[in-house]
């Protein structure tokens, strides 16, 4: 059974917490010491033992409507875990609760700005809470759990959080030089708790012993953010490892680095993000994403398969509303049972392709209607699982390597054809952790071109982001590799698109590559038209 939200029936915007407690129970027993009025008390749907013990423990909070409070009502004003407050010995307003919790309750004075209005539970010594005005308590609850179980920690909101603006999101805009930089992070594979990295290597390629994974991932991503200072961060799936007991704790760690640096970010889901008995659904995870600072995430149209099919436009410098580039995001779903291939994956669905095509054409018409100069309007697309063309044997591979076989859907829904028809410059994906190349798929010549010197247009570029997380594998066979990320830079003034990688221990950019120049895809090498155009390109340029 998965839990998507805290089981709060009241509108939390207009309630305040009046008390809290922890209830313990075994599978066959009623909660001990918790004969609670269900009209007032509400359970936070997170087992504090993370389903690892013979008994379970649940945090319950009592709520009251703010409009119905009187001077006789007691409100929770402060919470301590572990040692009581020094004043608790002579101040009977402090009360002890299970789990080492001390609660300060005082009479309502007409002002709730200092009262506790929200309470949550996060897990792990490395947990963070990027929500504005929330305070994560350092001292864990005292539950006598097994040492390997990530500790449970309370996160507290005092007063009323500032409501999230429902108006237009902050616009993405190119810099004054016309450039816009995107930082792609893929396959972080965060877990509940610190996790284990089993295949790290040092700067010389020597194997390192097992270590804590998620702190290494956060540090790696943070360092590159500080170097690159991107305009946008894109998470391309498998933010979470499969089958983890608390998705929220892991999600917060993923997005904390860009939030801490006030960088806008967006995300698509991977096959592992919603896998597991206790995993939050994609819908619930997207709801969390959308409420966080600097998030540009969107659920997308309900009638389209998947969660997170949307687009973002990059505008000219203020105050202009002229779109100069478009980024598309598509949910690539997950693994499916198959008699054809193992593993096999759901393809991009036809209604997603229809949505993309309709949206692309509509945006182009709007640009044409506004009489904008759209010669250099570059568009990119992002998803998690590679489409079948990534595994094509005729790929012209540049600036990177194929180190493991492409894992994608066995059924080709021809999303690539839609991307090519709409003039998308590049598709960025994740999933295959140690593949990190960019490649072109040669287009087939039409009959009308066979006897001409015209070279069929190439593109879009197919690029892997490379595995960024230390909790996911970064090895194939017996060989280990460094973690890596991909950077994209759009130059809207020249119609250019460049990409490069940032890799562990590498002080400089790795495999920098010009993908588009003057609005046109850059060919990997010169074509000798007299020897057959694309045939020569294939013979001379394919890197095995």
């Amino acid at each position: 059974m998965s839990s998507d939200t805290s089981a709060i029936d009241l509108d939390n915007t207009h309630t305040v917490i009046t008390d809290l407690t922890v209830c313990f129970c075994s599978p066959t027993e009623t909660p001990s010491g918790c004969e609670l009025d269900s009209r007032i008390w509400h359970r936070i749907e997170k087992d504090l033992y993370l389903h690892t013990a013979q008994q379970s423990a649940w945090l319950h909070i009592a709520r009251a409507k703010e409009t119905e409070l009187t001077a006789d009502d007691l409100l929770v004003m402060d919470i301590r875990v572990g040692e009581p407050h020094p004043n608790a010995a002579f101040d009977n307003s402090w009360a002890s609760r299970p789990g080492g919790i001390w609660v300060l309750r005082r009479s309502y004075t007409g002002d709730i700005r200092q009262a506790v209005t929200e309470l949550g539970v996060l897990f792990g010594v490395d947990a963070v809470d990027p929500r504005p005005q929330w305070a994560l308590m350092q001292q864990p609850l005292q539950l006598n759990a097994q040492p390997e179980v990530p500790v449970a920690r309370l996160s507290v909101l005092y007063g009323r959080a500032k409501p999230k603006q429902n108006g237009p999101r902050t616009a993405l805009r190119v810099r004054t030089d016309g450039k816009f930089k995107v930082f792609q992070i893929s396959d972080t594979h965060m877990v509940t708790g610190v996790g284990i990295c089993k295949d790290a290597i040092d700067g010389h390629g020597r194997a390192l012993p097992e270590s804590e994974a998620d702190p290494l991932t956060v540090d790696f991503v943070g360092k590159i953010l500080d170097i690159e200072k991107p305009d946008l961060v894109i998470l391309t799936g498998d933010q979470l490892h499969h089958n983890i007991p608390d998705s929220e704790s892991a999600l917060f760690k993923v997005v904390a680095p860009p939030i801490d640096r006030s960088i806008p970010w967006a995300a698509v889901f991977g096959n592992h993000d919603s896998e597991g008995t206790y995993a939050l659904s994609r819908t619930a995870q997207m709801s969390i994403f959308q409420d966080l600072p600097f998030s540009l995430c969107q659920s997308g149209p309900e009638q389209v398969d998947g969660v997170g099919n949307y687009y973002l436009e990059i505008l000219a410098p203020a105050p202009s509303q002229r779109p100069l580039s478009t980024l598309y995001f598509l949910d690539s779903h997950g693994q499916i049972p198959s008699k054809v291939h193992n593993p096999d994956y759901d393809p991009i669905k036809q209604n997603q392709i229809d949505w993309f095509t309709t949206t692309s054409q509509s945006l182009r018409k709007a640009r044409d209607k506004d009489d904008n100069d759209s010669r250099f309007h570059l568009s990119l697309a992002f998803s998690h699982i590679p489409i079948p063309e990534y595994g094509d044997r005729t790929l012209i591979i540049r600036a990177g390597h194929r180190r493991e076989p492409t894992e994608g859907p066995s059924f080709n829904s021809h999303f690539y054809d839609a991307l090519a028809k709409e003039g998308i410059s590049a598709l960025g994906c994740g999933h295959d952790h140690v593949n990190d190349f960019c490649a072109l798929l040669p287009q087939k010549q039409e009959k009308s071109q066979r006897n001409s010197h015209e070279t069929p247009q190439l593109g879009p570029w197919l690029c892997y982001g490379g595995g960024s997380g230390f909790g996911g594998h970064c090895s194939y066979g017996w060989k280990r590799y460094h973690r890596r990320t991909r950077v994209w830079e759009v130059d809207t003034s020249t119609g250019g698109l460049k990409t490069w990688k940032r890799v562990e221990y590498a002080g400089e950019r790795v495999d920098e590559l010009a993908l588009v120049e003057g609005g046109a895809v850059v060919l990997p090498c010169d074509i000798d038209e007299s020897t057959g155009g694309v045939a020569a390109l294939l013979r001379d340029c394919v890197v095995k």
Side-chain angles (χ1 to χ4, degrees), residues 318-390:
S320 174
Q321 295 301 307
R322 176 186 172 194
L324 300 181
S325 181
T326 306
L327 308 177
Y328 295 93
F329 303 83
L330 290 99
D331 186 352
S332 56
H333 314 294
Q335 191 170 339
I336 58 173
S338 174
K339 296 180 180 179
V340 177
H341 196 268
N342 186 31
D344 203 352
Y345 299 89
D346 236 355
I348 300 289
K349 305 293 185 172
Q350 185 60 49
N351 61 15
Q352 292 177 278
I353 298 173
D354 294 341
W355 165 82
F356 161 74
T357 301
T358 301
T359 302
S360 174
Q361 293 176 355
S362 176
L363 293 175
R364 184 183 302 108
K365 289 179 181 178
R367 294 194 300 270
D368 293 342
K369 182 179 179 181
D370 291 339
D371 197 27
N372 287 329
D373 180 0
S374 57
R375 291 176 302 160
F376 294 151
H377 189 98
L378 301 183
S379 297
L380 289 78
F382 295 91
S383 61
H384 176 70
I385 298 174
I387 57 179
E389 284 77 6
Y390 276 81

Side-chain angles (χ1 to χ4, degrees), residues 137-149:
M137 304 190 74
Q138 296 302 309
Q139 188 68 25
L141 297 179
Q142 299 175 356
L143 301 170
N144 296 319
Q146 294 299 313
E148 65 274 13
V149 179

Side-chain angles (χ1 to χ4, degrees), residues 126 183-195 213-215 217-218 221 233-259 265-275 279-290 292 295 297-298 307-308 310 329-333 382-385 428-433 465-473 485:
D126 63 331
F183 179 42
Q184 179 188 352
I185 306 170
S186 193
D187 296 274
T188 52
H189 282 267
M190 293 288 196
V191 298
T192 310
V194 296
D214 288 3
T217 302
V218 171
V221 168
V233 169
I234 296 179
L235 305 170
T236 49
D238 280 3
Q239 283 78 246
L240 308 186
H241 204 50
H242 64 276
N243 201 32
I244 62 174
D246 185 60
S247 300
E248 187 180 42
S249 297
L251 286 175
F252 283 171
K253 291 188 292 185
V254 174
V255 300
I259 291 175
W265 56 277
V268 293
F269 292 117
N271 52 295
H272 288 311
D273 285 312
S274 52
E275 284 183 344
L280 293 181
S281 69
R282 278 161 143 73
T283 300
Q285 290 185 41
M286 182 59 76
S287 179
I288 291 174
F289 279 165
Q290 289 178 296
L292 292 175
S295 169
C297 298
Q298 300 173 37
V307 177
Y310 59 106
F329 303 83
L330 290 99
D331 186 352
S332 56
H333 314 294
F382 295 91
S383 61
H384 176 70
I385 298 174
C429 77
H431 190 60
D432 298 329
H433 299 188
S468 305
F470 288 79
H473 77 269
T485 60

Side-chain angles (χ1 to χ4, degrees), residues 159-224:
R160 190 65 64 213
K162 295 180 181 178
K164 186 176 177 65
Q165 294 182 353
N166 293 323
R169 298 172 182 266
T170 301
L172 296 173
R173 295 187 180 275
V174 300
R175 301 177 184 182
T176 55
D177 61 0
K179 294 181 180 180
F180 189 89
K181 186 185 291 186
V182 174
F183 179 42
Q184 179 188 352
I185 306 170
S186 193
D187 296 274
T188 52
H189 282 267
M190 293 288 196
V191 298
T192 310
V194 296
I196 301 175
C197 177
K198 300 180 179 181
D199 60 1
I201 51 178
D202 65 16
H204 301 285
R206 295 174 297 209
L208 293 172
E210 290 187 0
S211 57
E212 295 178 347
D214 288 3
L216 289 175
T217 302
V218 171
D219 183 64
F220 174 53
V221 168
K223 286 179 178 178
I224 298 174

